[in-house]
Amino acid sequence: MITLEQLAEELKGNIWIKGNLKRIYLDRGWNTKKMSTKTFVWQDENGNFKVSCRIDCPSQGCQWIKSQEDKVKESVYEHIEEILAEKVFIIVNEKGEYCDDILKPCGLNDLCLKFFYSEEKATEFIEREFSKDLSFVEMSKKDFNAEIERLDNLIESVSDEN
């Protein structure tokens, strides 16, 4: 399990401690002359990380503000999920080829590779695409990152030779 301090480092946030309260303040959202966003992460008594976001923008309606707060929180939750993940679930077609965002075959180190950090989200994606031809392969996050780095280095060394 990761501590709040370790998470702060991974999220590149500022840790704030006052007594028993600990928060990670993040530079997420928008800050302008007419709008300010305060986003922070805290840990509940069960050890779960929670995200709070408050946007102050007098020129916008409550619905818009709420939608933007939700987007910021979703983005932070996805980043936390990525940090905490131990596995990667990569979308593949019926031939076992890795797929990109539009379900075309691609390489493991392609920027558009379609993968998830949870089995649930990979399954939801496949169901949403209504495709019986899609599935996913599971790989440890450590092996996934190592293989991408290896492929990137291989491509770099080939381009250096040319």
Side-chain angles (χ1 to χ4, degrees):
M1 188 61 166
I2 189 170
T3 66
L4 197 67
E5 290 80 6
Q6 292 167 325
L7 184 61
E9 188 175 315
E10 292 287 331
L11 290 172
K12 296 179 180 21
N14 298 315
I15 192 90
W16 173 86
I17 301 172
K18 185 170 186 177
N20 289 338
L21 293 176
K22 290 183 183 181
R23 294 179 178 167
I24 303 169
Y25 280 92
L26 302 171
D27 185 17
R28 304 285 172 97
W30 304 269
N31 291 297
T32 65
K33 287 181 181 179
K34 296 181 180 182
M35 182 166 131
S36 69
T37 304
K38 291 185 178 50
T39 306
F40 66 89
V41 178
W42 54 282
Q43 197 168 19
D44 69 12
E45 61 277 352
N46 297 322
N48 299 315
F49 296 110
K50 302 292 184 178
V51 179
S52 293
C53 178
R54 176 69 182 118
I55 295 176
D56 182 28
C57 185
S59 64
Q60 294 292 337
C62 293
Q63 292 289 67
W64 182 87
I65 290 172
K66 172 86 170 97
S67 72
Q68 297 307 300
E69 289 171 345
D70 289 345
K71 285 180 183 181
V72 170
K73 289 193 308 190
E74 181 181 331
S75 169
V76 174
Y77 275 121
E78 286 176 359
H79 196 176
I80 292 170
E81 182 179 276
E82 176 184 341
I83 291 166
L84 299 177
E86 294 179 9
K87 296 180 181 176
V88 175
F89 301 87
I90 308 165
I91 302 298
V92 295
N93 62 21
E94 72 279 358
K95 296 177 185 174
E97 300 168 312
Y98 299 125
C99 293
D100 66 10
D101 288 341
I102 57 172
L103 308 178
K104 291 174 68 177
C106 68
L108 185 62
N109 62 334
D110 285 348
L111 292 177
C112 53
L113 177 72
K114 194 67 180 172
F115 67 94
F116 299 90
Y117 290 103
S118 78
E119 185 174 350
E120 179 183 325
K121 287 187 178 178
T123 302
E124 285 174 8
F125 174 81
I126 292 169
E127 289 172 356
R128 192 171 55 248
E129 292 297 320
F130 304 108
S131 178
K132 294 183 171 105
D133 299 333
L134 294 177
S135 60
F136 59 83
V137 294
E138 183 180 314
M139 186 182 291
S140 80
K141 188 168 120 181
K142 182 179 177 183
D143 290 346
F144 176 74
N145 290 336
E147 184 61 10
I148 288 176
E149 185 175 336
R150 185 189 74 77
L151 290 169
D152 287 346
N153 289 339
L154 184 63
I155 290 168
E156 193 175 298
S157 69
V158 168
S159 65
D160 288 346
E161 290 174 6
N162 296 329

